[in-house]
Amino acid sequence: MKRVLSGMRPTGRLHIGHYFGALKNWVKLQDEHECFYFVADWHALTTNYENPEDIIELRRELLLDWLSVGLSPDKCTMFVQSKNIYHAELNLLLSMITPVGWLERCPTYKELKQEVSDKDLSNLGFLGYPVLQTADIVMYSADFVPVGVDQMPHLEISREVVRRFHHLYSTDVFVEPKGLLTETPKIPGLDGRKMSKSYGNAITLSEDLKEVETKLKRMKTDTNRMRKTDPGNPEICPVFDYHKVFSTEEERGYITEGCTTAGIGCMECKKILIKHVMELLEPIQDRRKHYEAEISNADEFLAESQKRANDEAAAMMERVRSAIRI
Ligand code: TRP
Ligand code: SF4
């Protein structure tokens, strides 16, 4: 069995973009491999060090989102990064051998530093983000790391750090991790832009279902289709992008035919979509309610799973220390 590891920063409730882009795959992987999924709360601090106060609540929110889609600590190891101090030790040791140039050249670092103007990102922790991420991954000898394309440069740094460590200390303690790209069609936000909480165009997994229905009914369509009698073009319609992930081949055929010949109206098209979105969200929200009632303290709930992770990390650190002989 291969080892899989991935993490998310606790930054707010997850939306259906996260579901199709990551979580759906995580759920599948937990039945096929030995999986580790963790809350990367220290990583959240690299950019949000000024506001650590909501982190406890955000951690619980993230955990509830994970459980609601069907992840389970009975099937995988779920834990919190900051509750495993070994990640900090390994981060420190790896930082000794990571050339600063590799980090400065990292595209995510360069881009965010340019884009973000409301925060000072000239801190060491932000520059070292990929080093901490490497520690997270190699601690558990993960073979595969399911991530989005944007994370691939980090994975490349991880692989290079591993090689350098092995070379410097004549050892092979670590496994070189491989990125596992999730192949799903992108699901845009309700306004056609990228789905993002900050644009206010997202559908979160825990959103009130009536609210979801209203939002979908109001969603932008092919803007050239002003009246029901105008033919439309599904290929430039954000609603159709949703049909690509939610609906069946047959339904898409029916819609394409109806839309391009002005045979069906946008409301009918949206009703098909709404049915599917409800079918996805209802069981997720039922599960969430169940866990919300059950979990008051996320740390307590995760205690056993966290211990599994921490014990594993302790054993790895023994090996790492003896490789460096210090
Ligand atoms: N950088 C990842 C993200 O923003 C989160 C993360 C932290 C992670 N450590 C990781 C992902 C280790 C995979 C493996 O999505
Ligand atoms: Fe978009 Fe559907 Fe309307 Fe066509 S019928 S424009 S695909 S919402």
Side-chain angles (χ1 to χ4, degrees), residues 52-206:
E53 56 280 348
D54 2 318
I55 211 89
I56 294 182
E57 189 46 33
L58 289 171
R59 272 196 321 234
R60 180 169 177 272
E61 289 290 344
L62 186 57
L63 174 66
L64 286 170
D65 275 334
W66 285 1
L67 295 168
S68 75
V69 297
L71 291 176
S72 157
D74 297 330
K75 293 184 173 184
C76 61
T77 301
M78 292 162 86
F79 66 99
V80 175
Q81 186 184 37
S82 69
K83 303 278 167 187
N84 188 341
I85 202 79
Y86 295 112
H87 286 237
E89 183 184 357
L90 188 52
N91 173 59
L92 177 99
L93 294 176
L94 296 180
S95 75
M96 301 300 170
I97 65 155
T98 307
V100 174
W102 293 3
L103 301 171
E104 284 170 336
R105 276 195 298 275
C106 182
T108 47
Y109 174 77
K110 287 196 292 192
E111 279 161 27
L112 261 192
K113 214 151 177 242
Q114 281 222 318
E115 269 170 37
V116 174
S117 53
D118 58 335
K119 277 183 274 205
D120 182 1
L121 290 184
S122 52
N123 51 318
L124 178 58
F126 180 60
L127 178 67
Y129 188 114
V131 183
L132 180 58
Q133 183 162 352
T134 302
D136 301 335
I137 299 167
V138 301
M139 185 74 92
Y140 305 94
S141 307
D143 302 284
F144 296 112
V145 183
V147 284
V149 239
D150 59 311
Q151 294 289 311
M152 284 318 234
H154 292 175
L155 259 291
E156 208 34 64
I157 291 177
S158 296
R159 296 161 61 78
E160 277 169 20
V161 170
V162 166
R163 278 182 228 132
R164 193 165 152 83
F165 190 95
H166 287 171
H167 174 73
L168 282 168
Y169 304 117
S170 313
T171 171
D172 59 358
V173 275
F174 298 129
V175 169
E176 261 185 54
K178 289 186 198 66
L180 201 61
L181 276 180
T182 323
E183 305 275 348
T184 38
K186 272 264 170 287
I187 179 156
L190 293 162
D191 55 1
R193 290 191 291 169
K194 181 181 181 301
M195 187 178 287
S196 159
K197 197 179 48 162
S198 51
Y199 291 156
N201 64 2
I203 296 176
T204 66
L205 297 175
S206 49

Side-chain angles (χ1 to χ4, degrees), residues 220-288:
K220 273 203 181 143
T221 61
D222 170 2
T223 43
N224 297 321
R225 196 175 184 202
M226 307 282 278
R227 280 167 299 262
K228 197 178 161 182
T229 47
D230 299 333
N233 178 4
E235 283 315 315
I236 56 167
C237 176
V239 175
F240 198 72
D241 284 322
Y242 281 49
H243 280 294
K244 285 183 190 158
V245 288
F246 278 100
S247 301
T248 63
E249 190 80 57
E250 205 185 338
E251 286 166 323
R252 278 195 296 276
Y254 171 77
I255 291 163
T256 306
E257 166 72 23
C259 177
T260 52
T261 59
I264 62 164
C266 291
M267 244 338 136
E268 183 184 345
C269 174
K270 285 179 171 178
K271 288 220 169 104
I272 300 173
L273 174 63
I274 288 167
K275 182 181 78 121
H276 285 298
V277 175
M278 295 301 145
E279 277 166 8
L280 173 74
L281 293 184
E282 270 163 13
I284 290 179
Q285 299 200 354
D286 287 346
R287 246 182 261 126
R288 187 179 175 108

Side-chain angles (χ1 to χ4, degrees), residues 1-4 28-36 74-76 140-144 175:
M1 244 206 296
K2 293 286 185 189
R3 281 228 173 156
V4 170
K28 183 164 93 60
L29 289 167
Q30 72 174 348
D31 292 319
E32 299 166 354
H33 301 288
E34 194 178 351
C35 294
F36 292 77
D74 297 330
K75 293 184 173 184
C76 61
Y140 305 94
S141 307
D143 302 284
F144 296 112
V175 169

